[in-house]
């Protein structure tokens, strides 16, 4: 700001000389100013003393500050209107907002950062993270192949291929690529204590049976008989057909026992196929205990219910079947992948076939099938995936 030649006190003194009778021209020559300047001083400070002039100066300074504050607030309001429909969450969004204010309103970086609420260091930061194009591409490929897999199972599959990245990095890329799987609605949880059924940690200790239903593209319905080993989580059989009676169930169980061995106990609900005379006679002839869960309590048969949910979520809801042969081939391929390739979280993210080879088959009629085991994971205990012991409690 340009410094004034005359202070208020000096101006008041000159004006008093003029009031005392001095001529305007003589005063202008004496003090080195023009006559117009004297008239301006008189219009502004005429009739004032020194205290009044100081008070006027203070009011002018305060008025200038208020005008500046008002202008700044109006500028802030205009800038916020520019960002009204922009989501400023995260460093990247704030960098974009600051750049927009600088380009659209010609604001300085400091001013734009104050409006957005961002640190200037964050705005100037440029990532030095290495290129992740290959990892992102491979993650998208696997996620498109297995659309119902979350980041934990995708992490295990990448580790099998030799990817060294940790689970936190995989999760970040997974979120940035928008691969999050839609979650189901939460169900009500039972209140109270449950009495678990103790099962020995070995193959064929307990099997679970249940049906899952679907329909072909033409609208005709069919059903799938699922049989699961509760300890190893293996799918022993998944038989699709348009009609499955109790006799058909007994034949499937007989064929399965001849190739795998006899189970200690079989668990099912009270479906008409499982309570038929054919099943009662079969269990008596083969000396296999058959346990029926309480009516309306599907969680007492939780292992097969969980398997049915995985099958529906990853296969039935994702596929359109054009006939029975198509359904049999697709279900057979999915069951093979489920047993030998798909990581199972309850087994420390090992596959059911791989886990079956790690437990001792005591009391079974057939030894574990070594040929069905999958190749071991790249690392024994990958970051973020914990291993657990063989289960000793089921139900």
């Amino acid at each position: 700001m340009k410094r004034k030649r005359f202070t208020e006190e000096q101006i008041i003194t000159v004006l008093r000389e003029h009031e005392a009778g001095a001529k305007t021209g003589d005063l202008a020559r004496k003090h080195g100013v023009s006559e117009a300047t004297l008239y301006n001083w008189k219009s502004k400070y005429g009739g004032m003393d020194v205290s009044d002039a100081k008070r006027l100066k203070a009011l002018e300074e305060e008025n200038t500050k208020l005008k500046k504050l008002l202008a700044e607030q109006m500028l802030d309001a205009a800038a916020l209107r520019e960002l009204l429909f922009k989501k400023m969450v995260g460093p990247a969004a704030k960098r974009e907002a600051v750049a927009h204010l600088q380009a659209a309103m010609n604001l300085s970086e400091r001013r734009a950062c104050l409006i957005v609420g961002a640190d200037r260091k964050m705005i100037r930061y440029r990532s030095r993270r290495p290129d992740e194009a290959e990892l992102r591409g491979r993650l998208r490929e696997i996620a498109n192949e297995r659309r119902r897999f979350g980041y934990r199972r995708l992490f295990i599959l990448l580790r099998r291929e030799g990817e060294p990245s940790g689970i936190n990095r995989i999760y970040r890329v997974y979120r940035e690529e928008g691969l999050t799987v839609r979650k189901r609605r939460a169900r009500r949880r039972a209140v109270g204590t449950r009495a678990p059924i103790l099962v020995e940690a070995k193959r064929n200790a307990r099997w679970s049976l249940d049906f899952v239903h679907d329909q072909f593209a033409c609208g005709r319905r069919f059903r799938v008989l699922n049989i699961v080993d509760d300890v190893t989580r293996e799918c022993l059989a998944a038989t699709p057909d348009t009609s499955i009676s109790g006799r058909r169930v007994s034949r499937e169980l007989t064929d399965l026992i001849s190739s795998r061995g006899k189970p200690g106990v079989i668990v099912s609900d009270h479906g008409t196929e499982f309570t038929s005379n054919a099943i009662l006679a079969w269990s008596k002839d083969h000396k296999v205990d058959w346990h029926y869960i309480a009516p309306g309590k599907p969680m007492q048969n939780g292992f097969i219910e969980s398997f049915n949910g995985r099958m529906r979520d990853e296969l039935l809801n994702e596929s359109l079947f054009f006939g029975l042969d198509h359904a049999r081939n697709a279900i057979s391929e999915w069951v093979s992948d489920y047993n030998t390739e798909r990581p199972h979280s309850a087994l420390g993210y090992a596959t059911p076939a791989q886990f079956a080879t790690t437990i001792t088959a005591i009391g079974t009629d057939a030894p574990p099938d070594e040929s069905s085991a999958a190749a071991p994971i790249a690392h024994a205990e990958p970051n973020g995936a914990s291993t657990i012991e063989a289960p000793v409690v089921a139900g």
Side-chain angles (χ1 to χ4, degrees):
M1 185 176 178
K2 185 179 179 180
R3 187 169 178 267
K4 294 182 179 180
R5 289 174 56 193
F6 296 90
T7 63
E8 285 77 6
E9 293 85 351
Q10 293 173 340
I11 294 173
I12 296 293
T13 303
V14 173
L15 292 178
R16 286 183 177 176
E17 291 180 9
H18 185 269
E19 292 173 357
K23 295 183 179 180
T24 304
D26 296 338
L27 286 177
R29 286 191 296 273
K30 178 180 178 182
H31 296 286
V33 295
S34 64
E35 295 183 5
T37 301
L38 289 176
Y39 287 118
N40 289 335
W41 286 354
K42 185 176 181 180
S43 64
K44 186 175 181 180
Y45 297 102
M48 291 185 181
D49 56 12
V50 176
S51 61
D52 294 335
K54 290 183 177 179
R55 190 178 303 109
L56 178 62
K57 182 180 179 181
L59 290 175
E60 289 178 347
E61 292 178 352
E62 184 177 358
N63 189 30
T64 302
K65 291 180 180 179
L66 291 176
K67 287 182 178 180
K68 184 178 180 181
L69 290 176
L70 180 60
E72 290 179 351
Q73 288 183 355
M74 293 177 65
L75 184 63
D76 291 349
L80 290 176
R81 282 195 296 271
E82 286 286 333
L83 304 175
L84 185 61
F85 299 103
K86 293 184 179 294
K87 187 176 181 181
M88 294 183 294
V89 179
K94 290 185 177 181
R95 291 191 192 101
E96 182 181 353
V98 170
H100 176 75
L101 291 180
Q102 288 179 298
M105 304 188 64
N106 199 22
L107 296 180
S108 65
E109 182 186 84
R110 185 188 301 274
R111 185 68 180 171
C113 289
L114 288 175
I115 295 173
V116 175
D119 192 343
R120 297 178 70 189
K121 293 181 180 179
M122 181 192 70
I123 298 301
R124 296 181 179 182
Y125 173 77
R126 294 297 177 265
S127 176
R128 299 179 181 178
R129 188 175 292 156
D131 185 23
E132 299 174 338
E134 184 177 354
L135 173 61
R136 291 174 183 272
R138 184 55 186 158
L139 185 62
R140 282 196 301 268
E141 290 178 5
I142 300 178
N144 290 332
E145 293 174 1
R146 303 174 180 272
R147 293 186 292 178
R148 300 303 300 175
F149 275 21
Y151 74 95
R152 292 184 179 87
R153 286 193 174 88
L154 295 178
F155 164 69
I156 296 297
L157 296 180
L158 287 173
R159 269 299 173 88
R160 289 180 183 174
E161 298 178 358
E163 172 60 43
S165 301
I167 193 169
N168 291 334
R169 184 183 185 192
I170 298 298
Y171 178 66
R172 175 180 57 78
V173 176
Y174 174 83
R175 291 291 300 272
E176 291 175 356
E177 292 297 318
L179 302 176
T180 306
V181 179
R182 182 178 59 85
K183 295 182 180 180
R184 295 180 177 180
R185 294 192 323 179
R187 298 180 179 177
R188 291 188 195 172
R189 298 185 178 274
V191 179
T193 59
R194 295 183 181 137
I197 301 175
L198 298 179
V199 178
E200 188 176 358
K202 65 178 183 179
R203 297 168 78 247
N204 296 340
R206 192 175 84 170
W207 293 357
S208 297
L209 281 72
D210 198 7
F211 288 100
V212 62
H213 300 262
D214 202 6
Q215 63 182 10
F216 300 121
C218 62
R220 186 180 183 185
R221 299 189 62 82
F222 70 96
R223 61 198 323 203
V224 184
L225 172 64
N226 290 330
I227 306 175
V228 173
D229 189 315
D230 292 352
V231 175
T232 65
R233 308 299 204 278
E234 292 175 285
C235 176
L236 308 182
T239 307
D241 209 333
T242 55
S243 177
I244 301 178
S245 62
R247 292 183 180 181
R248 175 71 179 279
V249 174
S250 63
R251 289 200 303 270
E252 294 291 338
L253 290 174
T254 301
D255 294 340
L256 188 58
I257 286 178
S258 64
S259 62
R260 181 180 176 88
K262 188 168 63 174
V265 62
I266 295 178
V267 181
S268 72
D269 55 20
H270 288 79
T272 55
E273 300 84 0
F274 302 137
T275 57
S276 62
N277 291 331
I279 291 297
L280 297 178
W282 181 89
S283 62
K284 183 178 180 181
D285 294 341
H286 289 78
K287 297 181 180 180
V288 176
D289 293 335
W290 199 290
H291 175 74
Y292 293 100
I293 65 174
K297 301 290 184 180
M299 283 310 300
Q300 293 183 6
N301 203 10
F303 293 102
I304 192 66
E305 294 291 344
S306 175
F307 175 81
N308 290 345
R310 300 285 77 74
M311 173 180 278
R312 182 166 297 282
D313 190 37
E314 298 175 10
L315 175 66
L316 302 182
N317 289 348
E318 299 291 321
S319 305
L320 184 62
F321 302 109
F322 298 98
L324 189 57
D325 291 337
H326 181 205
R328 285 171 177 168
N329 293 334
I331 291 174
S332 177
E333 292 177 2
W334 184 83
V335 168
S336 176
D337 180 81
Y338 179 89
N339 287 333
T340 59
E341 297 295 333
R342 181 186 185 276
H344 202 298
S345 59
L347 305 179
Y349 289 97
T351 64
Q354 182 183 1
F355 179 75
T357 62
T358 62
I359 59 177
T360 306
I362 300 177
T364 59
D365 297 336
D369 186 4
E370 298 288 346
S371 62
S372 63
I377 303 176
H379 299 274
E381 294 183 2
N383 295 334
S386 60
T387 55
I388 61 173
E389 301 295 333
V392 296
V393 177

